[in-house]
Amino acid sequence: MSIIDIETTRKLREMGAGDLLSALEAQDDVLAGGLAFGERIRLIVDDAYTAFTDTKVTGLIRRAGLRYPNADLRSVDLVDQRGLDRSVLAELATCGFVAAHRNVVLQGFTGSGKSYLASAIAKAACAHRYRAHVIRMPDLAEAWRVAGDRPGGTSKFIKKYAAFTVLVLDEWLLDPPDEPMRAMLLELMEHRHDTGSTIFATQYAKKDWHARLGGGVHADAILDRIVHTAVWINTGQVNMREKAAQDGHASQGMG
């Protein structure tokens, strides 16, 4: 028999306190009956908060658009063979870079695991209850084109992508951006500078970025808002896609 009457149950549900109600109903009177009132309340709130947090994190992960939803920084393959630094991965998992508004650059050959690592970092951010979003640069370019055809679309576009605490730009500079795209990137990086963290997954080393951004003042300004405090990670030369094919299962390290 529930310890909560029907009217109280209704009020809790109406207030959106379903997790608290479930915790109240789940508390075992036999085990908790001898506890003081305050201790029983603490246990109930702890249980409700755990359920609330789990639900919130699950929702953040679902909405992040991860390319690899099962990605996990704790289970990255071939760390030593790929020249990855375990201490850097461990630090990324704490999401200290997010609190410091630092960017992350994942640079390496096709198939070296950039997209997997980007998903794993974004997932860690979700676990810390940050809003994260993953998008490929070709998709971002298409979304920008569509936004330009709508009244007020470009300002809404910038506002949307500036609002994510962690934004992953996969396939960064795969195609050199045209002038309108460069102007958008400058505006977006300006809005995100010192307010969020952007993760860039790219084949291109830093020395190639200026030319691929078209050179000139736009390239200077975009780079100025990205590179100075960024964490740079070379993802090595092991082709994780080829390894996955040889192992006969889906790779954790494509991209």
Side-chain angles (χ1 to χ4, degrees):
M1 181 176 178
S2 173
I3 63 172
I4 308 297
D5 62 45
I6 294 174
E7 181 62 11
T8 302
T9 297
R10 182 192 67 77
K11 290 177 180 177
L12 285 168
R13 292 197 184 283
E14 187 175 326
M15 291 189 297
D19 291 329
L20 180 59
L21 175 61
S22 296
L24 282 164
E25 292 180 331
Q27 190 169 86
D28 190 318
D29 278 342
V30 174
L31 296 176
L35 297 176
F37 176 77
E39 185 64 12
R40 291 192 68 169
I41 291 296
R42 185 187 68 78
L43 291 174
I44 289 168
V45 172
D46 283 350
D47 287 345
Y49 184 74
T50 297
F52 167 77
T53 300
D54 289 347
T55 300
K56 183 173 183 180
V57 169
T58 299
L60 287 170
I61 292 172
R62 184 180 66 253
R63 292 188 293 273
L66 305 181
R67 291 184 69 175
Y68 298 94
N70 295 323
D72 193 327
L73 285 171
R74 297 169 298 182
S75 58
V76 175
D77 280 348
L78 305 180
V79 171
D80 297 328
Q81 295 92 320
R82 295 159 70 185
L84 299 175
D85 189 324
R86 293 181 186 276
S87 64
V88 171
L89 296 181
E91 179 62 27
L92 290 173
T94 70
C95 289
F97 75 96
V98 182
H101 307 309
R102 297 185 66 184
N103 299 320
V104 178
V105 179
L106 304 170
Q107 187 265 317
F109 296 106
T110 297
S112 64
K114 301 182 297 295
S115 297
Y116 178 90
L117 285 173
S119 287
I121 298 168
K123 188 176 179 180
C126 292
H128 284 78
R129 293 182 287 286
Y130 292 119
R131 285 185 69 216
H133 185 69
V134 178
I135 188 166
R136 297 168 59 248
M137 284 299 294
D139 295 332
L140 187 74
E142 176 60 18
W144 174 243
R145 185 193 66 76
V146 171
D149 294 334
R150 298 173 178 169
T154 55
S155 60
K156 291 178 182 177
F157 175 97
I158 295 295
K159 185 177 180 180
K160 172 183 176 179
Y161 287 99
F164 293 111
T165 308
V166 175
L167 177 64
V168 176
L169 299 180
D170 203 357
E171 300 180 12
W172 171 249
L173 300 182
L174 180 64
D175 298 310
D178 58 17
E179 182 62 30
M181 187 72 175
R182 289 196 295 271
M184 180 278 289
L185 289 172
L186 175 55
E187 186 74 7
L188 180 59
M189 293 302 108
E190 171 62 25
H191 277 74
R192 294 187 58 77
H193 184 61
D194 285 339
T195 63
S197 295
T198 308
I199 299 171
F200 303 86
T202 181
Q203 297 180 35
Y204 294 96
K206 181 166 60 174
K207 65 181 179 60
D208 300 320
W209 284 27
H210 193 269
R212 294 195 71 79
L213 284 167
V217 294
H218 265 159
D220 291 338
I222 293 169
L223 288 172
D224 187 59
R225 288 157 176 80
I226 295 174
V227 302
H228 297 304
T229 61
V231 179
W232 293 78
I233 298 174
N234 189 304
T235 54
Q237 301 185 29
V238 177
N239 191 317
M240 300 301 291
R241 187 177 289 110
E242 181 179 339
K243 177 182 180 298
Q246 292 172 350
D247 292 346
H249 59 75
S251 175
Q252 63 135 281
M254 295 181 188

